[in-house]
Amino acid sequence: MNLRILISTPREGGPNYVRAVEQAGGAAVPSFCPQADPSGYDGLVLCGGGDLEDQYAGGANPAPAGVDGDRDRAELALIPAFLETGRPILGICRGHQLLNLVLGGTLILDLPPAGLALHTRPAGRDRLHPVRAAADSFAVRLYGGVSQVNSAHHQAVDRLAPGLRAVQWSEDGVLEALEHASAPVWGVQWHPERLDGSGGTAEGGLLFRAFLDLCGKWKHV
């Protein structure tokens, strides 16, 4: 099955995401600031990356990092276009947060010191920590009730948007995964493209393969 997956990348590209989609069996189409036209694609992956501009994030960011207004505007148009057609979306880190914003939720613009100590990425290395998953969710089906994931962020989902369900949390209460109640939309705060299951961590490839299965079901509806 030749599933074409649009990968909305940061300006510098997203080779890890491309590799993950291709290893899962999809045809990856990476693009910075893609047009808000889902035709020709079977799903959308929203990569991690920098913070949103204050005007989109809902407040003044006390510690802005990697802000790119061009990317913000492109993805804020891209998400509704895919939602309108029912095509599956997977949001990762920034993408997970952006899905919540577009659907009407809010963000924690900078985690408190204890949260920063657990979730930021010192010296370019991901932090690893356990998460727990909700029953009857994609997270528990893929990884069980408790799994080990990575963190590299200073912002997080705050108030959840209508229609979204929280399905995974870190030990300090940060929302680590969400899913839509009726649309094929998943988000994870962690980085599956950097996890191969070694050292007891979650295998990121499971998530990408499950997402491609979701895209295949949409294609054959």
Side-chain angles (χ1 to χ4, degrees):
M1 185 184 301
N2 190 26
L3 295 169
R4 284 171 51 85
I5 307 301
L6 178 60
I7 303 178
S8 182
T9 72
R11 195 175 291 269
E12 63 272 19
N16 289 340
Y17 301 90
V18 171
R19 185 181 308 111
V21 167
E22 291 178 344
Q23 288 178 345
V29 185
S31 179
F32 171 68
C33 288
Q35 296 296 311
D37 179 5
S39 60
Y41 302 108
D42 303 301
L44 169 65
V45 172
L46 298 163
C47 295
D51 300 343
L52 279 81
E53 288 188 336
D54 289 354
Q55 61 179 315
Y56 305 125
N61 185 345
V67 175
D68 190 324
D70 291 337
R71 184 184 181 192
D72 294 349
R73 287 180 284 277
E75 291 184 341
L76 288 167
L78 188 64
I79 292 170
F82 269 77
L83 288 171
E84 187 176 352
T85 64
R87 286 170 166 82
I89 304 175
L90 173 62
I92 296 171
C93 197
R94 166 194 159 100
H96 159 88
Q97 298 168 9
L98 191 57
L99 284 170
N100 186 59
L101 276 177
V102 168
L103 289 167
T106 61
L107 288 186
I108 299 170
L109 296 178
D110 196 38
L111 290 167
L116 293 174
L118 180 64
H119 295 278
T120 52
R121 194 183 190 206
R125 300 183 62 183
D126 290 351
R127 292 186 189 272
L128 299 175
H129 60 85
V131 292
R132 59 184 175 85
D136 190 28
S137 66
F138 81 88
V140 79
R141 289 192 296 272
L142 293 177
Y143 298 110
V146 178
S147 53
Q148 186 94 341
V149 301
N150 52 351
S151 276
H153 62 102
H154 78 104
Q155 298 186 324
V157 168
D158 188 6
R159 178 175 52 80
L160 201 61
L164 293 180
R165 177 190 176 207
V167 298
Q168 199 178 56
W169 304 264
S170 64
E171 55 195 352
D172 63 340
V174 168
L175 179 61
E176 295 283 346
L178 57 79
E179 64 184 10
H180 197 282
S182 57
V185 174
W186 296 344
V188 293
Q189 181 60 70
W190 43 283
H191 283 270
E193 79 285 358
R194 296 203 294 261
L195 289 180
D196 61 7
S198 61
T201 63
E203 183 197 344
L206 287 176
L207 178 58
F208 285 100
R209 292 194 292 273
F211 178 68
L212 285 175
D213 286 344
L214 201 63
C215 295
K217 291 175 182 176
W218 171 83
K219 190 170 187 175
H220 288 94
V221 169

